[in-house]
Amino acid sequence: SDIFFDYSKKAQAIKGDTHYHNNYEIYYLTEGSCRYFIGNNSYTLTSGDIALIPKGVIHKTNYENKNRSRILLSCPESYIPVSIREKFSEIPYFSKSVATAQKIKEIFECIAKEYSNPDEFSEDVIRFKIGELLLLIVRNHDSNFNIKAKHSLIEQAIDFIQNNYASNITLSQTA
């Protein structure tokens, strides 16, 4: 299968390494909270929030405590509906809402079931459910986007580092 599905409820790896992938990632925080760095931006995710990471974008997760669980979906471009591919990078963060929370949970439960007990149709069902999830996010993005939790000072520091990494920059310059 081209898709990677991981449900993790671990206390290890409180601080993730900065990395990128050739696949698209959908990160669903089911319990706890974390700080997610995606490209030049930082977001605070809480239980029920989703981060969308386009292929090739640098990202990193910092967990604020050991009590957390998440679901991570990694899939190739072919799993992302064409109409959503360009929007994927425009919506790096999706906050839970009463209107979408139950449907999102149901979609992930279906994907988990198909992934853990596959049959000849499972890959198609997973592809369909990923499309359904992304369409739900895109359609409801505007109503939730004002909840986006960006950290402007952190973003300014990230921008400074990215624009000056070749120089011998100091911590005080970055601050």
Side-chain angles (χ1 to χ4, degrees):
S1 175
D2 291 332
I3 190 164
F4 171 75
F5 178 86
D6 181 41
Y7 170 75
S8 177
K9 190 170 185 172
K10 302 175 188 171
Q12 66 188 38
I14 299 302
K15 187 175 183 181
D17 293 328
T18 303
H19 61 282
Y20 68 93
H21 307 280
N22 291 326
N23 281 341
Y24 288 78
E25 285 192 351
I26 302 168
Y27 178 97
Y28 176 48
L29 189 64
T30 56
E31 180 184 333
S33 62
C34 72
R35 176 81 45 87
Y36 216 124
F37 297 92
I38 305 170
N40 294 335
N41 300 310
S42 172
Y43 306 90
T44 299
L45 276 67
T46 59
S47 179
D49 291 348
I50 295 175
L52 301 176
I53 303 97
K55 67 179 182 176
V57 172
I58 293 175
H59 57 283
K60 176 181 180 176
T61 314
N62 284 341
Y63 296 99
E64 298 173 5
N65 60 51
K66 293 182 180 186
N67 297 324
R68 51 101 177 151
S69 61
R70 55 104 172 123
I71 295 173
L72 178 66
L73 277 170
S74 176
C75 57
E77 187 172 68
S78 63
Y79 277 70
I80 310 300
V82 174
S83 62
I84 294 178
R85 286 184 193 155
E86 65 184 45
K87 298 204 178 284
F88 205 94
S89 60
E90 297 171 11
I91 308 173
Y93 168 73
F94 183 75
S95 178
K96 64 186 168 293
S97 73
V98 174
T100 60
Q102 185 59 37
K103 186 63 179 170
I104 287 170
K105 183 179 177 187
E106 290 170 5
I107 292 170
F108 276 104
E109 286 172 352
C110 180
I111 292 170
K113 179 183 168 200
E114 293 294 332
Y115 193 82
S116 61
N117 297 309
D119 65 21
E120 63 184 302
F121 303 108
S122 291
E123 194 161 343
D124 289 332
V125 171
I126 291 170
R127 186 185 310 256
F128 170 76
K129 288 296 181 180
I130 288 172
E132 181 181 9
L133 173 67
L134 294 174
L135 286 167
L136 179 70
I137 289 170
V138 168
R139 283 187 162 168
N140 291 280
H141 171 65
D142 290 337
S143 62
N144 285 350
F145 200 65
N146 59 349
I147 302 170
K148 187 170 116 174
K150 293 176 86 172
H151 301 276
S152 62
L153 291 177
I154 293 171
E155 290 172 12
Q156 288 173 17
I158 291 169
D159 286 342
F160 177 78
I161 292 167
Q162 287 186 335
N163 291 328
N164 298 288
Y165 69 90
S167 304
N168 190 13
I169 58 176
T170 66
L171 181 59
S172 61
Q173 288 175 317
T174 305

